[in-house]
Amino acid sequence: MFSDLSTPILLAIFTAAALAVFVGGTRMTGMADRLADRTGLGEALVGGVLLGAATSLSGTLVSLTAAMEGRASLAFSNGIGGIAAQTAFLAAADLLHRKANLEHAAADLANVFQATVLMLLLAIPLLAWTTPEVAFFAVHPASLAIVAIYALGVFATRKVRQEPMWEPVDTSDTEPDEPDEPEARDSSTVALAGRFFLLMLAMGTAGWAIARTAGVLTDRFELSASVVGAVGTAVVTSLPELVTTLAAVRRGALQLAIGGIIGGNTFDTLFLTLSDLGYREGSLYHAVGPSDIFWLVAGLIMTAIMTIGQLYRQRHGPAGIGVESFAILGVYALAILTQTVLAR
């Protein structure tokens, strides 16, 4: 259906879908913040699980659709490229919080713990790629391991929040996670959750449209699927994370801002499992090339830098942001430059 459309129409559909993702992500932040207060789960956990999964739904459908069409590189690089892009968004959000370094002000053990889980999850596909191909019904065991570790990580993150064995030191620049004042004429929690779910569905539909148009444009202009996935569709479907992160910082929900990025990144590793299920020609991890693995390593490096920044907790840095934010943006810019040059 999409392959028969003209290029201007494809670009119009792509733009409209991207706009839908952008608007949906904008409205989700306030809903997630209120759900965190009402359920008592806290901004870090709700941001890391609920908001992270919701804003990643469009990207999930991009990867799954690409995999079912046999586009292994696009499916893989979209998920992994989204992790790198979203981590860079967090560094950009540091510019918005002028009082102190964002990682210092938003100190939360649950976010630090989930970031370490993310690094473990990113190491699994790298391990699968470096070992001989093994697949059962065209599914690699690494895909099952990713789901198991993700589930255990969510459970452990909640336990860490409820029964912390370590506590961050509070300073005058630390902004704790405190419930907001109740809003007048506010809807019930069930109605709020229902509207949140409807936005998820709308963004998922937009993600499907982005995947179909991106696939056709990749073929039509003979573009690198790895670059299109990691820099094109990954950035577009990551726009909700950028919007929700900036909105959360402006609301003062700093734990929600960081938790949404880390949670979205953690959820994005499930893209690989879904893509491996959708890719019927064997193991997804052995159908990708060095360019795709390049983005996996870049995302792992950026996540490690972010985690170090949360632990080091520099209060003030150059231009009012942490050194880790400069390092993250530098790594991301260098990765884009390197891949763009290699794709020529």
Side-chain angles (χ1 to χ4, degrees):
M1 177 178 67
F2 284 86
S3 59
D4 297 329
L5 299 177
S6 65
T7 299
I9 293 178
L10 285 173
L11 292 174
I13 294 174
F14 188 93
T15 302
L19 182 62
V21 169
F22 182 84
V23 173
T26 304
R27 299 193 61 183
M28 276 184 169
T29 309
M31 295 182 183
D33 193 12
R34 287 151 62 194
L35 285 171
D37 295 340
R38 292 184 181 187
T39 59
L41 294 175
E43 292 173 0
L45 186 58
V46 169
V49 180
L50 182 61
L51 186 60
T55 53
S56 295
L57 183 58
S58 56
T60 302
L61 290 181
V62 169
S63 287
L64 179 58
T65 302
M68 293 177 67
E69 294 178 346
R71 304 176 186 274
S73 182
L74 179 60
F76 187 95
S77 59
N78 174 72
I80 297 302
I83 291 174
Q86 288 154 201
T87 307
F89 291 163
L90 185 60
D94 199 358
L95 290 166
L96 188 62
H97 187 70
R98 307 309 302 160
K99 184 178 179 181
N101 179 14
L102 183 61
E103 278 80 0
H104 175 93
D108 190 283
L109 181 59
N111 282 335
V112 176
F113 180 83
Q114 197 164 36
T116 61
V117 173
L118 173 57
M119 287 189 284
L120 175 59
L121 287 167
L122 289 175
I124 293 174
L126 184 60
L127 177 63
W129 184 71
T130 58
T131 55
E133 181 173 359
V134 177
F136 301 96
F137 303 101
V139 177
H140 196 283
S143 297
L144 303 179
I146 288 174
V147 174
I149 293 175
Y150 177 82
L152 289 172
V154 171
F155 173 79
T157 301
R158 182 176 182 182
K159 183 175 177 61
V160 164
R161 172 176 171 77
Q162 293 176 338
E163 303 174 13
M165 299 300 291
W166 297 89
E167 293 281 359
V169 175
D170 288 335
T171 70
S172 58
D173 290 320
T174 302
E175 298 189 21
D177 176 5
E178 295 178 344
D180 298 326
E181 293 296 326
E183 300 183 21
R185 299 180 182 177
D186 208 0
S187 58
S188 68
T189 302
V190 174
L192 181 62
R195 296 205 312 273
F196 191 92
F197 180 71
L198 289 176
L199 275 177
M200 283 181 62
L201 293 179
M203 291 171 63
T205 303
W208 174 81
I210 289 171
R212 298 304 302 271
T213 54
V216 174
L217 291 171
T218 299
D219 293 340
R220 188 168 295 181
F221 294 102
E222 298 181 349
L223 302 173
S224 166
S226 178
V227 173
V228 170
V231 183
T233 61
V235 173
V236 170
T237 55
S238 295
L239 286 177
E241 279 83 356
L242 174 61
V243 175
T244 55
T245 299
L246 296 179
V249 171
R250 290 183 64 87
R251 289 173 63 94
L254 304 186
Q255 289 80 10
L256 182 67
I258 294 181
I261 290 293
I262 298 175
N265 287 350
T266 305
F267 189 85
D268 283 0
T269 61
L270 297 179
F271 288 11
L272 301 180
T273 298
L274 289 174
S275 298
D276 196 21
L277 289 170
Y279 186 72
R280 295 288 80 201
E281 300 177 24
S283 166
L284 176 77
Y285 309 101
H286 294 84
V288 299
S291 295
D292 304 302
I293 299 302
F294 173 87
W295 283 106
L296 176 63
V297 175
L300 186 55
I301 292 173
M302 294 169 71
T303 302
I305 294 173
M306 175 185 62
T307 306
I308 292 171
Q310 290 186 88
L311 291 171
Y312 186 69
R313 293 188 64 199
Q314 181 184 32
R315 185 173 297 188
H316 298 286
I321 66 176
V323 172
E324 74 279 355
S325 294
F326 274 106
I328 288 171
L329 292 174
V331 169
Y332 187 59
L334 183 61
I336 293 176
L337 178 62
T338 300
Q339 284 293 284
T340 302
V341 171
L342 292 177
R344 291 179 179 177

